[in-house]
Amino acid sequence: MTSAGGLVSDKAFHPKDSLFSGPAGGVVAASAISRQTGIENIITFDMGGTSSDVARYSQRFDYQYGSAIGDAYISGPALNIHTVAAGGGSVCGFDGQKFSVGPESGGADPGPACYGAGGPLCVTDVNLLLGKMATDRFSIPLDENAAEKRLEELLEKGSIKAGQEEVLQGFLNIANEKMAEAVRKISTARGYDPKEHAILSFGGAGGMHACAVATLLG
């Protein structure tokens, strides 16, 4: 699978052409779902561990022929996918003046604090502490006490007077706003009204944020 959403033989494969292959595969799947459901305008919302990837599909694929990734520029065809650093593993922090979500990530190891490996407070921890996660559906045990300890450390270190739930909701709002802004860049900024689209969510955390993002987009 390539970043353009197609398959190539191993002899024709180049690593640089597969950097967005995961999200591209999701967009290709969205095209099939679009045909099956008769919903012509779809915004794909792929929220994983380190980032959220969004794209627009309306009866045809939208391509770009160069992609900027940090300071690097990759030449080659790719589906037009916009990425923001807001995923389940994005670190939630406070610098003394403002709260932030990402771009730093807890990664897979140690991961979010609730993975029990000494990780930082992440979006996954926020969802857990707000009661948004079905802990019995996970293949690993989740340590809610570890997540709460990281939150308490952040509140104490930053001398934050707000209540825990208020702070947690604040982090959630920041993450959702970042993802909604990503959708605006591939819709509103290009002359397309997001209200005329359905959001199709996937990725490990997509379903937990899709409705909030849809609400922000009207």
Side-chain angles (χ1 to χ4, degrees), residues 39-75:
I39 300 173
E40 296 181 349
N41 300 327
I42 287 179
I43 288 170
T44 64
F45 174 60
D46 178 7
M47 184 179 179
T50 58
S51 66
S52 294
D53 305 292
V54 299
R56 178 179 174 273
Y57 178 81
S58 182
Q59 303 180 70
R60 68 177 183 85
F61 294 116
D62 185 14
Y63 293 98
Q64 57 186 353
Y65 296 91
S67 307
I69 305 173
D71 294 330
Y73 185 83
I74 308 298
S75 179

Side-chain angles (χ1 to χ4, degrees), residues 1-5 18-30 44-48 51-55 61 79-83 202-203:
M1 173 69 72
T2 70
S3 300
S18 68
L19 291 174
F20 294 107
S21 59
V27 178
V28 173
T44 64
F45 174 60
D46 178 7
M47 184 179 179
S51 66
S52 294
D53 305 292
V54 299
F61 294 116
L79 291 178
N80 204 338
I81 297 167
H82 185 69
T83 302
F202 44 97

Side-chain angles (χ1 to χ4, degrees), residues 107-215:
D109 185 8
C114 63
Y115 283 12
L121 183 74
C122 297
V123 171
T124 296
D125 299 306
V126 170
N127 281 319
L128 177 65
L129 293 174
L130 285 173
K132 294 177 175 288
M133 293 171 64
T135 56
D136 60 335
R137 301 295 298 274
F138 278 75
S139 59
I140 61 172
L142 297 180
D143 188 344
E144 189 169 345
N145 290 332
E148 189 159 358
K149 181 180 178 183
R150 283 286 182 265
L151 174 61
E152 290 172 352
E153 289 172 354
L154 183 143
L155 295 175
E156 186 176 341
K157 183 178 179 181
S159 299
I160 299 167
K161 303 302 182 185
Q164 286 193 8
E165 189 164 340
E166 185 180 357
V167 171
L168 290 169
Q169 190 59 52
F171 283 130
L172 206 59
N173 292 344
I174 293 170
N176 290 335
E177 283 287 358
K178 289 179 73 169
M179 293 180 284
E181 184 58 29
V183 173
R184 293 185 188 103
K185 288 186 177 179
I186 54 106
S187 57
T188 309
R190 296 175 185 166
Y192 302 107
D193 187 349
K195 296 178 184 178
E196 297 174 357
H197 297 69
I199 281 187
L200 177 61
S201 71
F202 44 97
M208 299 184 64
H209 292 260
C211 291
V213 172
T215 299

